[in-house]
Amino acid sequence: MGDHHVVIGVDIGNSTTEAAVARIGPDGVDWQHGSLTPTTGVKGTAKNAVGVAQVVAKVLRRSQVDPAEVREILVNEATPVISGLAMETITETIITESTMIGHDPRTPGGEGIGIGVTTLVDDLGDVSPGREVIVVAGPGSDFDDVSAAINTATARGVHVRAAVLCLDDAVLVGNRLDVRVPIVDEVRRSEAIPLGMLAAVEVAAPGRTIRTLANPYGLASVFELDPEQTMSIAPVARALTGNRSAVVVRTPAGDIADRPIPAGVLSLDGERGRTKIDVAEGAEEIMRAVRQVSPLTDASGETGTNVGGMIASVRETMADMTRQDVTSVRIQDLLAVDTFAPLTVRGGLADEVADENAVALSTMVRTSHGPMQEVAEAVRVRLAEDGLDVAVRVGGVEAEMAVRGALTTPGTGRPLVVLDMGGGSTDAALIEPSGDIRSTHLAGAGDLVTRLIDSELGLDDLELAEMIKKYPLGKVESFFHLRLEDGTVHFQSDPVPETCFARVVVLTEEGMLPVPTRHGMEHIRMIRRTAKSRVFAVNAIRALEEIAPTGGLRQIDFVVLLGGCALDFEIPELIGDVLAPFGIVCGTGNVRGVAGPRSAVATGLVSAYLEQG
């Protein structure tokens, strides 16, 4: 190999491109600093050249290596992979004509439950003494005027049982009343509340949730419902569960119905036959159908449904990016997860939502082996433009290189499984004592977890959901201390930002990030951990079952976690717990004893180069 030269291994991944630098001389190998950068373009396409050039320049600067010393750059055999996601709602509760209104403002007033006829605040003077009313105040009502009108009516003998306000005035009005009543504010479209109708308002004590209006039989008692009406009103009670306050108005013309939303039918083709499954049957049935025909060779969705459109879109995107015919693109794997999606209740007056059952689908497309030699040539040309004239070649198959790199983790041996959970897919490879290597690629990883968190918390903010996935939580209890999710209390010398006060926050490396939701810290933590378990734990077992040697999972000695998800603060523990019953040693990789779970493939490329002499 000559006296002294430098070789760079470059791993083109789905999300990141990583480089490992080795200075080779008569005395052996001296590993230099590694580096990484976001992958440009779809993995295994010519657009990767930009990202490779960036990471090579970056790693040469960090290692202080003279570009003239670089003899060769090795890239992995990267098969194009692309994933797609869809959230399919199974049912949707439709509440028409404002039959039932559920609402949960941040600062309701008073406490208890009030039942009466909805009456506009300006009409209180016309109400006869002895009548029981719920006062409704629109956006133009001043809190002083509202409280004065209620006190005057009360003095005349009118029984004001509760109030519904448009503005954020519940506490201001409540403090000025002669009689304490439950008050719900922030009802944006209070002018749409039907007047002259029987209504109930309930406000729970601080730290508690409503009981009567969140109970179907409580609603039946308040509104004197028969059994059939009680069955139809059950979705309303479910939508109000967990709220501190609520308003329910019953109108004779109202109607409630559960309408099934066609989620679409999946057609699955596998080496063991064909089958069809309705997405509405849920994740368990879908995955059972996948196992029946697996290994999967292709899948298609019913035309005119979301699942059909999603699969078609993924297929077309891959065909465009790899310059291949759509007919050559196949769905290689599919993961279904049961979840729920908060849907706006139709007829609501304050953006009320009800959690409805849904199925999240993650699909993975893998084309025929792409022309990696073209990618290598594109990398060479791009580097030459940057002044680095060096040979670039495909150094080995990704799975084999990943195993080689993982074996440099101290304490590992064969048989060993590499588990790389990225953004869109879960990749696994097994090396047996004989040196034989098997690999698999499954749909579903970090991106799906982020989508589940975003949907189930109703955030509509994927960036925030990503932060919730990656970092622990805390609850700010004063300007100088917060309670962490493990129950411990953290004190700090500087006051917390005003935007974080009394909020649940994500404890990122840059500081606190408030979570704009009314869910408590324990609920958010439960959603995060459950989402990770339903994706990462399930896929870990699926992957190992596919590549396990004869005799099953108990024949595997070591599992090494690689990639960005291996750096997560709870995923390694979660997967370790799942694999512990099989006697498997599972942990985060430490490539070359220094690089952690990064650079396994890049290290494997250089190791293979050294073995070839």
Side-chain angles (χ1 to χ4, degrees), residues 562-582:
L562 299 177
C565 288
L567 296 170
D568 187 274
F569 69 102
E570 56 191 353
I571 289 174
E573 177 188 357
L574 186 152
I575 295 177
D577 290 344
V578 171
L579 300 183
F582 301 100

Side-chain angles (χ1 to χ4, degrees), residues 432-511:
E432 302 204 62
S434 63
D436 292 339
I437 294 175
R438 290 199 300 277
S439 63
T440 187
H441 305 270
L442 302 178
D447 292 345
L448 177 57
V449 172
T450 302
R451 285 285 295 273
L452 289 175
I453 293 171
D454 182 60
S455 172
E456 294 186 8
L457 291 178
L459 300 174
D460 196 25
D461 185 343
L462 287 176
E463 289 187 15
L464 176 59
E466 180 74 12
M467 294 296 103
I468 292 174
K469 178 184 75 175
K470 292 171 62 175
Y471 298 104
L473 301 166
K475 174 66 185 291
V476 177
E477 296 185 339
S478 78
F479 278 115
F480 291 96
H481 88 279
L482 67 155
R483 188 170 301 277
L484 307 183
E485 64 176 56
D486 64 0
T488 59
V489 176
H490 174 71
F491 293 90
Q492 52 187 53
S493 54
D494 297 324
V496 302
E498 292 181 6
T499 54
C500 297
F501 183 67
R503 287 287 189 93
V504 176
V505 295
V506 185
L507 304 174
T508 73
E509 294 169 355
E510 286 75 32

